[in-house]
Amino acid sequence: SRRYSDARSSFQRSVDLDGRFAPAQYNLGLANLRTGNEAEALSSFRRARTTDPNYERAYLEEARLLSKQGDRRGAVNAYNTVLRINDVNGNALRELGSEYYAMENYAASENCYRRALALFSPTEEDPTTNYNLSATLYAEHKDAEALTYAKRAYASKSSLGNAAQANVVYNYALMLQESGKSEEAIPLYMEALRLNQNHEKSKINLGKMYLEMNPPDVDTALQLFRQAYNADNKSFEVNNNLGSAYLAKKDYKNAIQFYQNALRIDNPDRKGYLGAELT
């Protein structure tokens, strides 16, 4: 009934009556979490799994909380403990994959996502895990496999909300673009923008493709880059591409200005302009 303060009091009383009852400790942790007491929640989860070393749900909540607090190594240890208890815990596998991805341990991330996908039946598809595996494979420069999983995520994207769908479509477009299939990528970038008109990465990559056409459609590219610039004027990608667009128009004053802007911003030095993971 979402009466979290009352629930917290009840679970605390239960713990007071029997401190060795792990479910009460665990649920006290959940109630503490819902009332914003993260430190107390973490202590409760840890008491629950100390009381019962096989209490996987307590380790899972501990891992999630540590991840939220930025303690990635602690989160990884807790997730791995969940998997030692139950190696087919799909949530733990997917969330551990995200932790490894954030730590740039792409091989470990790939392993987690593959194991998570293996838990589904042949007729089931999980667009989020397919997307995340695609992103991980792309970071490992395994472009052909990345495209395969991007396509699978795209085919099953209807179960997601519009914002997540836009990221899935964008990712598939990017993989096609990297594979030299520009004619297939362009309508997908447009689809991503229909799903989310503020998807700035789609605007940047679509603008680049218009600029690289023969002959280039400089005005459309410039329009897309300006929209992206209005959303984030500190982006290296946006400023660098605006410089190129103005150079193509022989507007040298603006070209110099935006190239100088780009030089003042750290270049992410990435192979592509990859979207964030889905959660």
Side-chain angles (χ1 to χ4, degrees), residues 179-196:
S179 301
K181 300 177 180 179
S182 298
E183 291 184 2
E184 296 178 52
I186 288 175
L188 287 169
Y189 283 130
M190 291 178 175
E191 181 182 347
L193 288 171
R194 285 194 297 272
L195 288 163
N196 178 6

Side-chain angles (χ1 to χ4, degrees), residues 189-238:
Y189 283 130
M190 291 178 175
E191 181 182 347
L193 288 171
R194 285 194 297 272
L195 288 163
N196 178 6
Q197 62 181 352
N198 298 317
H199 201 277
E200 309 307 331
K201 294 172 184 177
S202 289
K203 293 177 185 178
I204 293 170
N205 282 10
L206 187 56
K208 288 169 67 176
M209 297 183 80
Y210 278 118
L211 201 58
E212 293 166 358
M213 287 179 174
N214 188 17
D217 185 347
V218 180
D219 289 334
T220 301
L222 190 57
Q223 180 183 12
L224 289 162
F225 293 146
R226 291 295 314 188
Q227 290 174 7
Y229 179 84
N230 290 337
D232 181 10
N233 62 11
K234 301 299 184 183
S235 163
F236 171 86
E237 287 276 340
V238 171

Side-chain angles (χ1 to χ4, degrees), residues 74-128:
V76 164
N77 288 336
Y79 280 125
N80 275 314
T81 302
V82 174
L83 293 169
R84 280 195 293 273
I85 297 167
N86 176 11
D87 64 358
V88 293
N89 187 314
N91 288 329
L93 284 167
R94 286 185 287 272
E95 293 167 31
L96 179 58
S98 293
E99 292 299 320
Y100 280 133
Y101 182 90
M103 297 168 71
E104 299 185 359
N105 186 345
Y106 299 124
S109 178
E110 176 188 344
N111 178 59
C112 288
Y113 290 136
R114 288 191 186 277
R115 287 169 62 190
L117 286 174
L119 300 177
F120 290 91
S121 73
T123 59
E124 291 180 302
E125 284 289 357
D126 176 20
T128 299

